[in-house]
Amino acid sequence: MVSGTVTVQAGRILSERTLVLQDEHGGLTLRLPSAFPVETLTRGSIAWARGELAAPYGNLELRAADAGDVGVSGSGGLPDPVAIDTNGLGEPNEGLLASMVVTVDRVTRYDSGAVSIVVRDAAGEGRVYAFAPV
């Protein structure tokens, strides 16, 4: 069971039913069950969820089995973003709300509508993915 602030609402990453919860320890992707109304979890909502951990495509996520496994316990502001550079694009910061100052080097668009954005800063090069609706 986890609880935290919704930093990325459903439909912005990975799928229409996937969002990100973050607390003072870190962030975790949450896949919502089909019966749960995704519109109730907006950015800044404080939510809890229970389920099983999975790692499809190398992305750690919590999978709630049914609508009763997810709830909203309040609302609040977003946590301050963690300042990172391209060296910070990796597992230790996965799930965290972050900010970085970069130059976009190139963009690759996929048939799905998703994009891969190669960025560059003084630390080097990194890749950022954006889900099609973004």
Side-chain angles (χ1 to χ4, degrees):
M1 183 163 175
V2 299
S3 64
T5 301
V6 176
T7 57
V8 179
Q9 68 269 27
R12 301 289 185 198
I13 60 169
L14 301 175
S15 79
E16 295 296 325
R17 304 209 61 81
T18 304
L19 57 80
V20 177
L21 290 178
Q22 181 177 329
D23 68 8
E24 65 274 7
H25 302 291
L28 181 64
T29 304
L30 168 63
R31 186 182 321 168
L32 297 168
S34 59
F36 189 86
V38 296
E39 65 278 357
T40 62
L41 291 173
T42 58
R43 288 183 81 202
S45 296
I46 300 169
W48 59 268
R50 65 178 162 253
E52 298 290 325
L53 288 174
Y57 312 108
N59 297 309
L60 184 64
E61 69 181 24
L62 182 72
R63 294 180 174 179
D66 55 47
D69 291 333
V70 181
V72 179
S73 54
S75 65
L78 294 173
D80 291 332
V82 175
I84 63 171
D85 60 18
T86 53
N87 287 331
L89 292 173
E91 295 294 325
N93 292 319
E94 184 175 318
L96 294 179
L97 186 60
S99 66
M100 53 195 282
V101 178
V102 296
T103 300
V104 175
D105 191 48
R106 64 188 176 279
V107 177
T108 303
R109 180 176 299 276
Y110 300 99
D111 291 340
S112 67
V115 294
S116 170
I117 305 164
V118 176
V119 297
R120 185 175 302 284
D121 63 12
E125 185 177 279
R127 186 176 307 268
V128 178
Y129 296 95
F131 185 57
V134 173

